[in-house]
Structures are given as structure tokens and as C-alpha cells.
Amino acid sequence: MAALLTATVVAGLGPILIYVWAPPPKGQRKSGLKVSLQGDLTSIPPKSVVQFNAPANSAFLMATGGGQNSPGDATFGGFLVNPGEGQQLEVFATRCPHLGCSVGFSPPDGIFKCPCHGSQFNIKGDVIHGPATAGLATLAWRRGSQPNEIVVDGLILGQGQ
Ligand code: FES
């Protein structure tokens, strides 16, 4: 019985573990990507957003997904968000969960808008208007060694990509 249970667990978890721990394609490697922002992280006003791009020859890897986005998917831009009301800074991918266009932040409205089909997201990344049915994906990040630096989980692409 124990052997059967073990075999069932291994058969079920094996593909998942291989997916999660699979090495990146040849010529690519996972890395923390350093991003320098215009100002210090402590100077981002409440309910405001700082947009940033991945360094050359690299991409960020999504930590969460939803809609057309999945954990581990690549994206080339992010938003560092101060949601205000004493909440922690958050980092979102710019890629729309509907069909992958790049969303933008609209300061007058305080929301993210997708130019392709009109999806909208509040400053916490939640959908407030479709056709998207999922919120913005998050990126895994940490503060860097400089006051204006963050380090985002990503992928260094091979030369010439
Ligand atoms: Fe963003 Fe369709 S790709 S709403």
C-alpha cells in the first residue's frame, strides 16, 4: 500500500517538479536583475507608480499569473507601486493578462489602462474593467544595495537575443 501511495505521489508530482526546477533554455540563466530608479524608494508618493524596463538582453520573470500570464513567463517591463494607506510597495508586470499588450498607468485616474481592448486595473493590480478577467501579475523583487535600486527576478538572455 505504501509503495502504491509513493508511486502515485511521485507520478503526480514529478512533472510539476520538473516544470518548476527545469533549467532555462541553453544560453539563458536565471538571475536577480538590478534596476536603478530615478529616485529613492522611500520618495515614491502614496498612490503613485514608477515604471521601469528590464536591462538590455534580459527579461523579468513573473512570480504570479492569471489570464494569459503564468508564473515564470517573461516580461520586459514592470511597475513599482506605492499603493498608499501604509501598504507595502508592490511590483507588477506591465504585460496585460488579457492578450499581452503593455498596460500603462494613468496618473489622473490612478489606474492602469490597457490600450488594446480597454481593460483597467486599480493601483493594487485588480481588474476593474474587462475584458481581462485576472489582475496584473507580480514580479518577485527585493531592495538593492542603493537607495534607488531594486533587484527583480529575471532571466539573462543569450548573446544576440
Ligand atoms: Fe489588454 Fe486586451 S490585451 S485588454
Side-chain angles (χ1 to χ4, degrees):
M1 185 65 178
L4 178 62
L5 184 60
T6 302
T8 303
V9 169
V10 169
L13 289 180
I16 295 171
L17 295 177
I18 288 170
Y19 175 79
V20 170
W21 285 314
K26 197 170 183 177
Q28 301 180 354
R29 68 184 166 85
K30 292 182 180 180
S31 179
L33 304 176
K34 292 182 181 177
V35 176
S36 295
L37 306 172
Q38 290 282 334
D40 294 358
L41 273 64
T42 54
S43 69
I44 302 171
K47 298 195 180 295
S48 65
V49 169
V50 177
Q51 186 170 357
F52 55 90
N53 295 318
N57 293 322
S58 63
F60 302 125
L61 294 174
M62 296 182 196
T64 62
Q68 293 296 308
N69 292 330
S70 298
D73 282 356
T75 185
F76 296 96
F79 297 107
L80 178 63
V81 177
N82 180 353
E85 301 170 355
Q87 295 184 45
Q88 301 274 343
L89 298 178
E90 186 86 66
V91 175
F92 298 119
T94 56
R95 197 169 82 180
C96 181
H98 178 228
L99 291 176
C101 291
S102 291
V103 302
F105 186 70
S106 173
D109 307 313
I111 61 173
F112 297 95
K113 296 180 177 179
C114 182
C116 291
H117 311 104
S119 290
Q120 297 180 354
F121 309 86
N122 66 19
I123 201 160
K124 296 176 184 173
D126 304 319
V127 180
I128 55 175
H129 189 280
T133 56
L136 298 177
T138 59
L139 304 178
W141 71 286
R142 61 184 185 279
R143 292 171 189 268
S145 58
Q146 303 299 317
N148 69 329
E149 183 184 86
I150 59 175
V151 180
V152 184
D153 284 0
L155 195 63
I156 296 177
L157 306 173
Q159 292 294 320
Q161 293 186 32

